[in-house]
Amino acid sequence: MSVNIPNHFVQQYTTNVAHLLQIQGGKMRPLVSEDSHSGEAAVPVDQYGSVEMQEVTTRFGPMPRVDAATDRRWCYPTDYNLPQMVDTFDKLRLMVDPQGPLAQAAVKASGRKIDNIIFDSFYASANTGKSGGTATAFDTTNHRVDAAIGAAADTGLNVDKILRAVRLLEDNDVDTEMEMPCMAITPQQHEDLKRQTQVINSDYFTSEAKPVFAGDGRIKEFAGVKIVVSRLVPSNASYRLVPMWVKSGMHLGIWSDVKARVDERPDIEGVPFQLSTTLTMGATRLEEGRVIQIECTE
């Protein structure tokens, strides 16, 4: 064997591409109402309050008037951009064109951003009134499930908290037969639920209150509530603030949906390619009582 054979050794590089672990995103958008808007601000809905029938106590008496309360919710857009560069010289040295994987990464990033826009608006002050000049804060007195519900002290997610949140929705006249409530939980709360005897023991099941599991063991529904798992669920200094809501209670305003384009940059040496992904959106809580906050320890 020739001692010069090593001179012909080559380096082999992979043609496979994998994305590092990251939050996938894109879970929340199908669970809220959405519409297209334009301008500096938009009104997703004009609201009318309930009215009650009046008893007639006299014959041919004067006709009274009943005025329904009115309100209006506002939504404001925010612009987002994700510019990524691919150097033309680098493409000459790679076996895999990076534009495809970078575009896929942008899709994941836009999904996370949309989820964050929605999560940030669950408990934020909502702009109301004729011109949006009134800030309506989230009502933590009447629309919150305390962290100690179902236990002697503050605890994680349990069946009692889910049932209490559903009851609060129904106390607010949300028709849970017409709209299935949704709940976003973290992996920790997902584990908490899967340790609950009332969730995993069939002795507790009825035809109306049977949990729905995915093929991989994930809990998709329980007690008539659709469940999604996301690490983006908001928190404060003490608790994870799990939201339970109905679709008519949250709105995603679309000024410009996710758009992606690839351009050459002749103003930069080497004329690299720029992958630009943009979106312009905003979200708001549409009505008090259609969103419930559940405090959970982690």
Side-chain angles (χ1 to χ4, degrees):
M1 180 180 293
S2 171
V3 297
N4 296 320
I5 289 294
N7 293 333
H8 292 163
F9 288 176
V10 298
Q11 294 180 348
Q12 182 178 6
Y13 298 93
T14 183
T15 58
N16 296 321
V17 174
H19 289 275
L20 296 176
L21 289 172
Q22 56 190 287
I23 299 174
Q24 296 296 317
K27 296 184 176 183
M28 299 297 292
R29 185 169 179 176
L31 306 179
V32 301
S33 66
E34 68 172 64
D35 204 353
S36 298
H37 302 300
S38 60
E40 293 183 347
V43 177
V45 62
D46 281 329
Q47 300 166 321
Y48 290 85
S50 63
V51 293
E52 299 295 335
M53 299 292 293
Q54 305 296 307
E55 181 182 357
V56 178
T57 58
T58 61
R59 288 173 57 82
F60 306 113
M63 179 72 74
R65 187 183 77 246
V66 178
D67 296 319
T70 60
D71 207 347
R72 174 177 283 172
R73 288 287 164 121
W74 290 79
C75 189
Y76 300 88
T78 302
D79 305 316
Y80 299 94
N81 184 29
L82 175 60
Q84 301 180 91
M85 289 282 193
V86 178
D87 196 309
T88 306
F89 300 125
D90 290 340
K91 292 180 67 173
L92 299 175
R93 293 168 171 80
L94 294 171
M95 296 184 68
V96 177
D97 189 336
Q99 289 183 202
L102 290 178
Q104 295 173 24
V107 170
K108 297 176 186 292
S110 62
R112 287 194 300 273
K113 178 54 65 179
I114 294 172
D115 281 359
N116 272 318
I117 291 170
I118 295 170
F119 276 123
D120 290 345
S121 64
F122 273 118
Y123 312 127
S125 291
N127 291 85
T128 63
K130 182 178 180 180
S131 302
T134 302
T136 301
F138 183 81
D139 185 354
T140 55
T141 301
N142 300 303
H143 304 148
R144 176 180 62 89
V145 176
D146 189 80
I149 293 294
D154 291 356
T155 187
L157 186 62
N158 55 34
V159 170
D160 294 82
K161 291 183 179 182
I162 295 175
L163 298 180
R164 179 64 56 84
V166 173
R167 196 205 79 187
L168 291 177
L169 286 174
E170 294 174 340
D171 282 345
N172 294 324
D173 296 323
V174 175
D175 191 340
T176 56
E177 294 183 17
M178 299 296 293
E179 285 190 281
M180 174 180 279
C182 303
M183 181 172 64
I185 64 176
T186 67
Q188 176 64 61
Q189 283 109 47
H190 196 202
E191 179 183 345
D192 293 343
L193 272 189
K194 289 191 285 189
R195 294 181 183 277
Q196 293 277 301
T197 303
Q198 292 160 280
V199 176
I200 61 176
N201 190 333
S202 60
D203 290 343
Y204 291 89
F205 298 169
T206 66
S207 58
E208 293 80 16
K210 183 178 180 180
V212 177
F213 292 90
D216 57 4
R218 290 178 295 111
I219 303 173
K220 298 172 59 179
E221 295 177 16
F222 179 73
V225 179
K226 180 178 178 62
I227 296 174
V228 295
V229 179
S230 172
R231 285 202 305 107
L232 300 177
V233 174
S235 62
N236 59 19
S238 303
Y239 308 111
R240 188 72 72 164
L241 305 177
V242 171
M244 182 182 290
W245 75 99
V246 289
K247 191 170 185 176
S248 62
M250 294 296 299
H251 179 76
L252 178 67
I254 313 295
W255 273 258
S256 178
D257 213 331
V258 180
K259 295 180 179 178
R261 59 180 295 168
V262 179
D263 299 292
E264 289 185 332
R265 290 290 304 271
D267 58 315
I268 298 177
E269 188 174 10
V271 193
F273 290 94
Q274 177 174 283
L275 290 77
S276 180
T277 307
T278 62
L279 64 88
T280 301
M281 298 183 185
T284 186
R285 187 175 62 256
L286 286 181
E287 186 178 359
E288 309 312 303
R290 295 183 185 268
V291 177
I292 304 298
Q293 180 185 99
I294 307 172
E295 293 180 340
C296 295
T297 59
E298 290 193 338

